[in-house]
PDB file of all heavy atoms in Angstrom:
ATOM      1  N   LEU A   1       0.811  -1.215   0.000  1.00 71.00           N
ATOM      2  CA  LEU A   1       0.000   0.000   0.000  1.00 71.00           C
ATOM      3  C   LEU A   1       0.847   1.269   0.000  1.00 71.00           C
ATOM      4  O   LEU A   1       0.408   2.321  -0.460  1.00 71.00           O
ATOM      5  CB  LEU A   1      -0.927   0.007   1.223  1.00 71.00           C
ATOM      6  CG  LEU A   1      -2.088  -0.989   1.184  1.00 71.00           C
ATOM      7  CD1 LEU A   1      -2.772  -1.039   2.536  1.00 71.00           C
ATOM      8  CD2 LEU A   1      -3.087  -0.594   0.096  1.00 71.00           C
ATOM      9  N   ALA A   2       2.069   1.159   0.509  1.00 70.00           N
ATOM     10  CA  ALA A   2       2.929   2.340   0.546  1.00 70.00           C
ATOM     11  C   ALA A   2       3.286   2.834  -0.851  1.00 70.00           C
ATOM     12  O   ALA A   2       3.743   3.960  -1.017  1.00 70.00           O
ATOM     13  CB  ALA A   2       4.201   2.033   1.326  1.00 70.00           C
ATOM     14  N   GLU A   3       3.095   1.973  -1.871  1.00 72.00           N
ATOM     15  CA  GLU A   3       3.345   2.409  -3.237  1.00 72.00           C
ATOM     16  C   GLU A   3       2.415   3.536  -3.666  1.00 72.00           C
ATOM     17  O   GLU A   3       2.673   4.251  -4.629  1.00 72.00           O
ATOM     18  CB  GLU A   3       3.206   1.227  -4.205  1.00 72.00           C
ATOM     19  CG  GLU A   3       4.294   0.178  -4.044  1.00 72.00           C
ATOM     20  CD  GLU A   3       4.077  -1.003  -4.981  1.00 72.00           C
ATOM     21  OE1 GLU A   3       2.960  -1.534  -4.982  1.00 72.00           O
ATOM     22  OE2 GLU A   3       5.013  -1.355  -5.699  1.00 72.00           O
ATOM     23  N   LEU A   4       1.295   3.728  -2.956  1.00 73.00           N
ATOM     24  CA  LEU A   4       0.336   4.778  -3.290  1.00 73.00           C
ATOM     25  C   LEU A   4       0.714   6.131  -2.713  1.00 73.00           C
ATOM     26  O   LEU A   4       0.009   7.115  -2.926  1.00 73.00           O
ATOM     27  CB  LEU A   4      -1.059   4.382  -2.785  1.00 73.00           C
ATOM     28  CG  LEU A   4      -1.667   3.139  -3.433  1.00 73.00           C
ATOM     29  CD1 LEU A   4      -2.983   2.782  -2.763  1.00 73.00           C
ATOM     30  CD2 LEU A   4      -1.891   3.357  -4.918  1.00 73.00           C
ATOM     31  N   ALA A   5       1.785   6.195  -1.943  1.00 77.00           N
ATOM     32  CA  ALA A   5       2.181   7.457  -1.300  1.00 77.00           C
ATOM     33  C   ALA A   5       2.370   8.595  -2.297  1.00 77.00           C
ATOM     34  O   ALA A   5       1.892   9.712  -2.053  1.00 77.00           O
ATOM     35  CB  ALA A   5       3.447   7.249  -0.471  1.00 77.00           C
ATOM     36  N   PRO A   6       3.051   8.392  -3.440  1.00 78.00           N
ATOM     37  CA  PRO A   6       3.196   9.509  -4.393  1.00 78.00           C
ATOM     38  C   PRO A   6       1.857  10.011  -4.918  1.00 78.00           C
ATOM     39  O   PRO A   6       1.701  11.200  -5.185  1.00 78.00           O
ATOM     40  CB  PRO A   6       4.051   8.911  -5.518  1.00 78.00           C
ATOM     41  CG  PRO A   6       4.784   7.779  -4.875  1.00 78.00           C
ATOM     42  CD  PRO A   6       3.835   7.214  -3.874  1.00 78.00           C
ATOM     43  N   LEU A   7       0.885   9.105  -5.057  1.00 81.00           N
ATOM     44  CA  LEU A   7      -0.444   9.511  -5.515  1.00 81.00           C
ATOM     45  C   LEU A   7      -1.102  10.440  -4.501  1.00 81.00           C
ATOM     46  O   LEU A   7      -1.684  11.468  -4.849  1.00 81.00           O
ATOM     47  CB  LEU A   7      -1.315   8.285  -5.758  1.00 81.00           C
ATOM     48  CG  LEU A   7      -2.779   8.556  -6.118  1.00 81.00           C
ATOM     49  CD1 LEU A   7      -2.874   9.310  -7.435  1.00 81.00           C
ATOM     50  CD2 LEU A   7      -3.560   7.244  -6.216  1.00 81.00           C
ATOM     51  N   LEU A   8      -1.002  10.093  -3.213  1.00 81.00           N
ATOM     52  CA  LEU A   8      -1.590  10.927  -2.174  1.00 81.00           C
ATOM     53  C   LEU A   8      -0.924  12.296  -2.123  1.00 81.00           C
ATOM     54  O   LEU A   8      -1.595  13.315  -1.938  1.00 81.00           O
ATOM     55  CB  LEU A   8      -1.472  10.237  -0.807  1.00 81.00           C
ATOM     56  CG  LEU A   8      -2.698   9.445  -0.349  1.00 81.00           C
ATOM     57  CD1 LEU A   8      -2.944   8.262  -1.259  1.00 81.00           C
ATOM     58  CD2 LEU A   8      -2.530   8.980   1.086  1.00 81.00           C
ATOM     59  N   GLU A   9       0.389  12.326  -2.284  1.00 82.00           N
ATOM     60  CA  GLU A   9       1.100  13.601  -2.228  1.00 82.00           C
ATOM     61  C   GLU A   9       0.686  14.533  -3.361  1.00 82.00           C
ATOM     62  O   GLU A   9       0.782  15.755  -3.241  1.00 82.00           O
ATOM     63  CB  GLU A   9       2.611  13.382  -2.282  1.00 82.00           C
ATOM     64  CG  GLU A   9       3.210  12.819  -1.007  1.00 82.00           C
ATOM     65  CD  GLU A   9       3.140  13.799   0.161  1.00 82.00           C
ATOM     66  OE1 GLU A   9       2.799  14.983  -0.069  1.00 82.00           O
ATOM     67  OE2 GLU A   9       3.423  13.387   1.293  1.00 82.00           O
ATOM     68  N   ALA A  10       0.220  13.967  -4.475  1.00 83.00           N
ATOM     69  CA  ALA A  10      -0.185  14.801  -5.612  1.00 83.00           C
ATOM     70  C   ALA A  10      -1.555  15.440  -5.413  1.00 83.00           C
ATOM     71  O   ALA A  10      -1.918  16.357  -6.149  1.00 83.00           O
ATOM     72  CB  ALA A  10      -0.189  13.960  -6.891  1.00 83.00           C
ATOM     73  N   LEU A  11      -2.335  14.963  -4.437  1.00 85.00           N
ATOM     74  CA  LEU A  11      -3.673  15.521  -4.205  1.00 85.00           C
ATOM     75  C   LEU A  11      -3.579  16.858  -3.486  1.00 85.00           C
ATOM     76  O   LEU A  11      -2.843  16.998  -2.514  1.00 85.00           O
ATOM     77  CB  LEU A  11      -4.513  14.538  -3.374  1.00 85.00           C
ATOM     78  CG  LEU A  11      -4.836  13.193  -4.031  1.00 85.00           C
ATOM     79  CD1 LEU A  11      -5.574  12.296  -3.051  1.00 85.00           C
ATOM     80  CD2 LEU A  11      -5.669  13.399  -5.290  1.00 85.00           C
ATOM     81  N   PRO A  12      -4.363  17.854  -3.921  1.00 85.00           N
ATOM     82  CA  PRO A  12      -4.309  19.158  -3.245  1.00 85.00           C
ATOM     83  C   PRO A  12      -5.032  19.171  -1.909  1.00 85.00           C
ATOM     84  O   PRO A  12      -4.706  19.968  -1.035  1.00 85.00           O
ATOM     85  CB  PRO A  12      -4.997  20.091  -4.251  1.00 85.00           C
ATOM     86  CG  PRO A  12      -5.922  19.201  -5.023  1.00 85.00           C
ATOM     87  CD  PRO A  12      -5.233  17.871  -5.109  1.00 85.00           C
ATOM     88  N   ASP A  13      -6.033  18.302  -1.743  1.00 87.00           N
ATOM     89  CA  ASP A  13      -6.785  18.249  -0.493  1.00 87.00           C
ATOM     90  C   ASP A  13      -6.144  17.244   0.464  1.00 87.00           C
ATOM     91  O   ASP A  13      -5.455  16.307   0.029  1.00 87.00           O
ATOM     92  CB  ASP A  13      -8.235  17.825  -0.760  1.00 87.00           C
ATOM     93  CG  ASP A  13      -8.999  18.886  -1.533  1.00 87.00           C
ATOM     94  OD1 ASP A  13      -8.905  20.066  -1.153  1.00 87.00           O
ATOM     95  OD2 ASP A  13      -9.683  18.540  -2.518  1.00 87.00           O
ATOM     96  N   PRO A  14      -6.360  17.406   1.757  1.00 90.00           N
ATOM     97  CA  PRO A  14      -5.829  16.437   2.721  1.00 90.00           C
ATOM     98  C   PRO A  14      -6.342  15.028   2.409  1.00 90.00           C
ATOM     99  O   PRO A  14      -7.524  14.825   2.127  1.00 90.00           O
ATOM    100  CB  PRO A  14      -6.373  16.934   4.072  1.00 90.00           C
ATOM    101  CG  PRO A  14      -6.618  18.386   3.859  1.00 90.00           C
ATOM    102  CD  PRO A  14      -7.050  18.528   2.438  1.00 90.00           C
ATOM    103  N   ALA A  15      -5.436  14.042   2.461  1.00 90.00           N
ATOM    104  CA  ALA A  15      -5.802  12.668   2.130  1.00 90.00           C
ATOM    105  C   ALA A  15      -5.048  11.698   3.037  1.00 90.00           C
ATOM    106  O   ALA A  15      -3.884  11.925   3.381  1.00 90.00           O
ATOM    107  CB  ALA A  15      -5.503  12.359   0.663  1.00 90.00           C
ATOM    108  N   LEU A  16      -5.731  10.606   3.407  1.00 90.00           N
ATOM    109  CA  LEU A  16      -5.152   9.551   4.249  1.00 90.00           C
ATOM    110  C   LEU A  16      -5.428   8.201   3.616  1.00 90.00           C
ATOM    111  O   LEU A  16      -6.455   8.006   2.954  1.00 90.00           O
ATOM    112  CB  LEU A  16      -5.762   9.578   5.656  1.00 90.00           C
ATOM    113  CG  LEU A  16      -5.624  10.849   6.495  1.00 90.00           C
ATOM    114  CD1 LEU A  16      -6.440  10.709   7.774  1.00 90.00           C
ATOM    115  CD2 LEU A  16      -4.163  11.115   6.825  1.00 90.00           C
ATOM    116  N   LEU A  17      -4.514   7.252   3.849  1.00 89.00           N
ATOM    117  CA  LEU A  17      -4.717   5.864   3.451  1.00 89.00           C
ATOM    118  C   LEU A  17      -4.678   5.022   4.721  1.00 89.00           C
ATOM    119  O   LEU A  17      -3.676   5.025   5.440  1.00 89.00           O
ATOM    120  CB  LEU A  17      -3.638   5.418   2.468  1.00 89.00           C
ATOM    121  CG  LEU A  17      -3.876   4.073   1.773  1.00 89.00           C
ATOM    122  CD1 LEU A  17      -5.118   4.141   0.900  1.00 89.00           C
ATOM    123  CD2 LEU A  17      -2.665   3.679   0.933  1.00 89.00           C
ATOM    124  N   ILE A  18      -5.795   4.324   4.995  1.00 88.00           N
ATOM    125  CA  ILE A  18      -5.965   3.593   6.253  1.00 88.00           C
ATOM    126  C   ILE A  18      -6.073   2.106   5.948  1.00 88.00           C
ATOM    127  O   ILE A  18      -6.855   1.699   5.075  1.00 88.00           O
ATOM    128  CB  ILE A  18      -7.240   4.065   6.997  1.00 88.00           C
ATOM    129  CG1 ILE A  18      -7.269   5.585   7.089  1.00 88.00           C
ATOM    130  CG2 ILE A  18      -7.321   3.429   8.364  1.00 88.00           C
ATOM    131  CD1 ILE A  18      -6.114   6.201   7.828  1.00 88.00           C
ATOM    132  N   ASP A  19      -5.281   1.276   6.660  1.00 88.00           N
ATOM    133  CA  ASP A  19      -5.328  -0.172   6.402  1.00 88.00           C
ATOM    134  C   ASP A  19      -6.436  -0.820   7.227  1.00 88.00           C
ATOM    135  O   ASP A  19      -7.193  -0.149   7.948  1.00 88.00           O
ATOM    136  CB  ASP A  19      -3.970  -0.810   6.671  1.00 88.00           C
ATOM    137  CG  ASP A  19      -3.559  -0.716   8.132  1.00 88.00           C
ATOM    138  OD1 ASP A  19      -4.404  -0.373   8.987  1.00 88.00           O
ATOM    139  OD2 ASP A  19      -2.374  -0.983   8.434  1.00 88.00           O
ATOM    140  N   ALA A  20      -6.520  -2.151   7.129  1.00 87.00           N
ATOM    141  CA  ALA A  20      -7.608  -2.884   7.780  1.00 87.00           C
ATOM    142  C   ALA A  20      -7.547  -2.802   9.299  1.00 87.00           C
ATOM    143  O   ALA A  20      -8.566  -2.998   9.978  1.00 87.00           O
ATOM    144  CB  ALA A  20      -7.589  -4.344   7.330  1.00 87.00           C
ATOM    145  N   SER A  21      -6.405  -2.529   9.855  1.00 88.00           N
ATOM    146  CA  SER A  21      -6.277  -2.409  11.312  1.00 88.00           C
ATOM    147  C   SER A  21      -6.477  -0.973  11.795  1.00 88.00           C
ATOM    148  O   SER A  21      -6.164  -0.669  12.947  1.00 88.00           O
ATOM    149  CB  SER A  21      -4.912  -2.929  11.761  1.00 88.00           C
ATOM    150  OG  SER A  21      -3.869  -2.146  11.191  1.00 88.00           O
ATOM    151  N   MET A  22      -6.973  -0.101  10.899  1.00 89.00           N
ATOM    152  CA  MET A  22      -7.266   1.305  11.221  1.00 89.00           C
ATOM    153  C   MET A  22      -6.000   2.108  11.509  1.00 89.00           C
ATOM    154  O   MET A  22      -6.027   3.087  12.230  1.00 89.00           O
ATOM    155  CB  MET A  22      -8.241   1.411  12.396  1.00 89.00           C
ATOM    156  CG  MET A  22      -9.596   0.775  12.149  1.00 89.00           C
ATOM    157  SD  MET A  22     -10.538   1.635  10.867  1.00 89.00           S
ATOM    158  CE  MET A  22     -11.045   3.110  11.749  1.00 89.00           C
ATOM    159  N   ARG A  23      -4.885   1.690  10.932  1.00 88.00           N
ATOM    160  CA  ARG A  23      -3.651   2.458  11.058  1.00 88.00           C
ATOM    161  C   ARG A  23      -3.418   3.294   9.804  1.00 88.00           C
ATOM    162  O   ARG A  23      -3.838   2.918   8.703  1.00 88.00           O
ATOM    163  CB  ARG A  23      -2.448   1.529  11.281  1.00 88.00           C
ATOM    164  CG  ARG A  23      -2.424   0.845  12.641  1.00 88.00           C
ATOM    165  CD  ARG A  23      -1.176  -0.008  12.786  1.00 88.00           C
ATOM    166  NE  ARG A  23      -1.123  -0.693  14.068  1.00 88.00           N
ATOM    167  CZ  ARG A  23      -0.594  -0.180  15.167  1.00 88.00           C
ATOM    168  NH1 ARG A  23      -0.049   1.026  15.119  1.00 88.00           N
ATOM    169  NH2 ARG A  23      -0.583  -0.863  16.292  1.00 88.00           N
ATOM    170  N   ILE A  24      -2.720   4.412   9.972  1.00 89.00           N
ATOM    171  CA  ILE A  24      -2.407   5.295   8.853  1.00 89.00           C
ATOM    172  C   ILE A  24      -1.219   4.712   8.092  1.00 89.00           C
ATOM    173  O   ILE A  24      -0.103   4.664   8.605  1.00 89.00           O
ATOM    174  CB  ILE A  24      -2.086   6.712   9.345  1.00 89.00           C
ATOM    175  CG1 ILE A  24      -3.278   7.298  10.108  1.00 89.00           C
ATOM    176  CG2 ILE A  24      -1.707   7.618   8.181  1.00 89.00           C
ATOM    177  CD1 ILE A  24      -2.969   8.617  10.775  1.00 89.00           C
ATOM    178  N   VAL A  25      -1.470   4.255   6.872  1.00 86.00           N
ATOM    179  CA  VAL A  25      -0.411   3.697   6.033  1.00 86.00           C
ATOM    180  C   VAL A  25       0.343   4.820   5.331  1.00 86.00           C
ATOM    181  O   VAL A  25       1.564   4.785   5.217  1.00 86.00           O
ATOM    182  CB  VAL A  25      -1.003   2.725   4.995  1.00 86.00           C
ATOM    183  CG1 VAL A  25       0.098   2.189   4.077  1.00 86.00           C
ATOM    184  CG2 VAL A  25      -1.721   1.589   5.687  1.00 86.00           C
ATOM    185  N   SER A  26      -0.403   5.835   4.872  1.00 85.00           N
ATOM    186  CA  SER A  26       0.221   6.925   4.143  1.00 85.00           C
ATOM    187  C   SER A  26      -0.648   8.166   4.274  1.00 85.00           C
ATOM    188  O   SER A  26      -1.847   8.078   4.570  1.00 85.00           O
ATOM    189  CB  SER A  26       0.414   6.555   2.667  1.00 85.00           C
ATOM    190  OG  SER A  26       1.134   7.566   1.990  1.00 85.00           O
ATOM    191  N   SER A  27      -0.043   9.325   4.043  1.00 86.00           N
ATOM    192  CA  SER A  27      -0.765  10.599   4.110  1.00 86.00           C
ATOM    193  C   SER A  27      -0.017  11.612   3.257  1.00 86.00           C
ATOM    194  O   SER A  27       1.142  11.407   2.898  1.00 86.00           O
ATOM    195  CB  SER A  27      -0.861  11.087   5.564  1.00 86.00           C
ATOM    196  OG  SER A  27       0.439  11.301   6.103  1.00 86.00           O
ATOM    197  N   ASN A  28      -0.688  12.702   2.922  1.00 87.00           N
ATOM    198  CA  ASN A  28      -0.003  13.752   2.176  1.00 87.00           C
ATOM    199  C   ASN A  28       0.292  14.942   3.082  1.00 87.00           C
ATOM    200  O   ASN A  28      -0.163  15.013   4.231  1.00 87.00           O
ATOM    201  CB  ASN A  28      -0.799  14.172   0.933  1.00 87.00           C
ATOM    202  CG  ASN A  28      -2.142  14.791   1.284  1.00 87.00           C
ATOM    203  OD1 ASN A  28      -2.512  14.888   2.449  1.00 87.00           O
ATOM    204  ND2 ASN A  28      -2.875  15.198   0.268  1.00 87.00           N
ATOM    205  N   ALA A  29       1.054  15.877   2.561  1.00 86.00           N
ATOM    206  CA  ALA A  29       1.491  17.013   3.373  1.00 86.00           C
ATOM    207  C   ALA A  29       0.315  17.854   3.847  1.00 86.00           C
ATOM    208  O   ALA A  29       0.326  18.375   4.964  1.00 86.00           O
ATOM    209  CB  ALA A  29       2.466  17.881   2.566  1.00 86.00           C
ATOM    210  N   ALA A  30      -0.722  17.984   3.010  1.00 86.00           N
ATOM    211  CA  ALA A  30      -1.890  18.784   3.398  1.00 86.00           C
ATOM    212  C   ALA A  30      -2.576  18.185   4.615  1.00 86.00           C
ATOM    213  O   ALA A  30      -3.014  18.906   5.520  1.00 86.00           O
ATOM    214  CB  ALA A  30      -2.864  18.889   2.222  1.00 86.00           C
ATOM    215  N   ALA A  31      -2.681  16.856   4.670  1.00 87.00           N
ATOM    216  CA  ALA A  31      -3.316  16.195   5.823  1.00 87.00           C
ATOM    217  C   ALA A  31      -2.469  16.350   7.073  1.00 87.00           C
ATOM    218  O   ALA A  31      -2.989  16.632   8.167  1.00 87.00           O
ATOM    219  CB  ALA A  31      -3.546  14.719   5.509  1.00 87.00           C
ATOM    220  N   ARG A  32      -1.162  16.171   6.938  1.00 86.00           N
ATOM    221  CA  ARG A  32      -0.292  16.288   8.116  1.00 86.00           C
ATOM    222  C   ARG A  32      -0.289  17.716   8.666  1.00 86.00           C
ATOM    223  O   ARG A  32      -0.253  17.919   9.891  1.00 86.00           O
ATOM    224  CB  ARG A  32       1.127  15.852   7.750  1.00 86.00           C
ATOM    225  CG  ARG A  32       1.231  14.369   7.413  1.00 86.00           C
ATOM    226  CD  ARG A  32       2.674  13.922   7.274  1.00 86.00           C
ATOM    227  NE  ARG A  32       3.355  14.533   6.141  1.00 86.00           N
ATOM    228  CZ  ARG A  32       3.356  14.044   4.907  1.00 86.00           C
ATOM    229  NH1 ARG A  32       2.677  12.926   4.653  1.00 86.00           N
ATOM    230  NH2 ARG A  32       4.020  14.646   3.930  1.00 86.00           N
ATOM    231  N   ARG A  33      -0.376  18.686   7.757  1.00 84.00           N
ATOM    232  CA  ARG A  33      -0.387  20.075   8.211  1.00 84.00           C
ATOM    233  C   ARG A  33      -1.710  20.425   8.887  1.00 84.00           C
ATOM    234  O   ARG A  33      -1.731  21.075   9.930  1.00 84.00           O
ATOM    235  CB  ARG A  33      -0.140  20.993   7.009  1.00 84.00           C
ATOM    236  CG  ARG A  33      -0.087  22.465   7.361  1.00 84.00           C
ATOM    237  CD  ARG A  33       0.332  23.286   6.165  1.00 84.00           C
ATOM    238  NE  ARG A  33      -0.534  23.101   5.013  1.00 84.00           N
ATOM    239  CZ  ARG A  33      -0.195  22.439   3.912  1.00 84.00           C
ATOM    240  NH1 ARG A  33       0.982  21.881   3.805  1.00 84.00           N
ATOM    241  NH2 ARG A  33      -1.041  22.312   2.899  1.00 84.00           N
ATOM    242  N   GLN A  34      -2.813  20.002   8.316  1.00 83.00           N
ATOM    243  CA  GLN A  34      -4.119  20.358   8.869  1.00 83.00           C
ATOM    244  C   GLN A  34      -4.421  19.608  10.155  1.00 83.00           C
ATOM    245  O   GLN A  34      -4.967  20.174  11.104  1.00 83.00           O
ATOM    246  CB  GLN A  34      -5.218  20.082   7.834  1.00 83.00           C
ATOM    247  CG  GLN A  34      -6.629  20.386   8.332  1.00 83.00           C
ATOM    248  CD  GLN A  34      -7.654  20.224   7.237  1.00 83.00           C
ATOM    249  OE1 GLN A  34      -7.527  20.779   6.146  1.00 83.00           O
ATOM    250  NE2 GLN A  34      -8.688  19.442   7.509  1.00 83.00           N
ATOM    251  N   MET A  35      -4.071  18.322  10.216  1.00 83.00           N
ATOM    252  CA  MET A  35      -4.407  17.509  11.384  1.00 83.00           C
ATOM    253  C   MET A  35      -3.275  17.444  12.399  1.00 83.00           C
ATOM    254  O   MET A  35      -3.412  16.812  13.442  1.00 83.00           O
ATOM    255  CB  MET A  35      -4.781  16.089  10.926  1.00 83.00           C
ATOM    256  CG  MET A  35      -5.965  16.081   9.975  1.00 83.00           C
ATOM    257  SD  MET A  35      -6.400  14.423   9.407  1.00 83.00           S
ATOM    258  CE  MET A  35      -7.639  14.832   8.163  1.00 83.00           C
TER     259      MET A  35
END
């Protein structure tokens, strides 16, 4: 799932990728800044 990290970083809005155990697998800079 970490292969999707570049895709998330390209999004202008805050974005998170959550696995089946409810952990944050990846996020973009907008999400880290806002949250």
